[in-house]
Amino acid sequence: MADRDRSVGFAEGLQRGFALDDAVPFRQLMLEIYDYRCAVTGKSYAGDGAEDHLEVFLFQPLEHGGHMVPGNAVVVDTVVAGLLAKGHLLVSDTYRAYTSHPEIVSEPVEASDALGRNMMLPVNVSLWPQPALVGYHRSLFRAQ
């Protein structure tokens, strides 16, 4: 693995320390860290179901200089990943997922969700998303 030529890409710009085949083991690692469960909805998927329903979302995208590390990532349902990517769903510094557009939600599912939903993160705190990278994601949508 150390002798792999990482200078060749798809003309999207070089990502330091990144090779396309690194994405597969990283995805598997993240699914295991999050116990095959969406960090926002809490829904769990067994075995092969996770492959179809869960995504690894990077708070600082690769094209913005982000890295495939647990501190820059979270495992979420595909719908949640789409909302995060568009800035319709953001994460606070206290790891609460909230909508930046409350008009799209008629009522919170539970009264306690009005200020956001507590995320389900790994037991090991060192594997949680880094606050600076979560803040970077909010900054992409000018949200604080």
Side-chain angles (χ1 to χ4, degrees), residues 53-67:
H53 300 287
L54 292 174
E55 290 187 26
V56 176
F57 179 81
L58 298 179
F59 289 104
Q60 183 177 8
L62 296 174
E63 58 269 15
H64 290 221
H67 298 282

Side-chain angles (χ1 to χ4, degrees), residues 14-143:
L14 293 179
Q15 178 65 44
R16 185 172 40 136
F18 172 75
L20 188 57
D21 57 342
D22 290 341
V24 174
F26 177 69
R27 175 180 164 73
Q28 188 59 42
L29 171 71
M30 291 302 296
L31 290 173
E32 290 172 12
I33 287 172
Y34 280 81
D35 200 25
Y36 300 91
R37 180 180 62 198
C38 174
V40 174
T41 67
K43 187 169 182 181
S44 292
Y45 296 93
D48 295 337
E51 294 298 321
D52 296 330
H53 300 287
L54 292 174
E55 290 187 26
V56 176
F57 179 81
L58 298 179
F59 289 104
Q60 183 177 8
L62 296 174
E63 58 269 15
H64 290 221
H67 298 282
M68 290 190 306
V69 294
N72 185 34
V74 68
V75 173
V76 292
D77 289 319
T78 55
V79 172
V80 173
L83 293 171
L84 284 165
K86 293 176 181 164
H88 297 309
L89 189 66
L90 300 171
V91 177
S92 72
D93 287 339
T94 57
Y95 301 105
R96 293 181 68 87
Y98 67 95
T99 179
S100 58
H101 301 284
E103 67 276 6
I104 66 173
V105 180
S106 59
E107 286 183 33
V109 176
E110 299 175 24
S112 62
D113 287 347
L115 299 174
R117 178 179 288 194
N118 282 326
M119 295 180 67
M120 302 180 95
L121 299 171
V123 174
N124 185 340
V125 176
S126 69
L127 299 173
W128 288 14
Q130 294 176 4
L133 296 171
V134 173
Y136 180 86
H137 177 253
R138 286 194 312 269
S139 75
L140 294 174
F141 305 100
R142 296 188 178 9

